[in-house]
Amino acid sequence: MEIEPNTDSWLEDTRTSYDIVATSYADQVRNLLDETWAGFLSLWPRLHVSGLTG
């Protein structure tokens, strides 16, 4: 007799786990793109002046 895995339970557990942490992850990365671009844009003139951009 072959036992089929219960994927419904696994999927529900995964969804529940994701839902629990989704808000805190969103809070952690909400401004990440803005901060990354701000850092890059502030660095760009220094790279250009030093000749690293071509």
Side-chain angles (χ1 to χ4, degrees):
M1 182 169 155
E2 190 174 323
I3 299 174
E4 294 289 326
N6 184 352
T7 57
D8 292 337
S9 175
W10 175 84
L11 186 56
E12 186 61 35
D13 290 345
T14 302
R15 282 186 185 135
T16 301
S17 295
Y18 176 81
D19 290 345
I20 289 170
V21 298
T23 302
S24 64
Y25 283 152
D27 290 341
Q28 290 177 27
V29 300
R30 184 174 322 281
N31 297 319
L32 187 60
L33 184 59
D34 292 337
E35 292 169 4
T36 302
W37 275 108
F40 173 74
L41 292 176
S42 70
L43 182 61
W44 180 257
R46 286 182 269 166
L47 291 174
H48 187 67
V49 169
S50 68
L52 296 176
T53 59

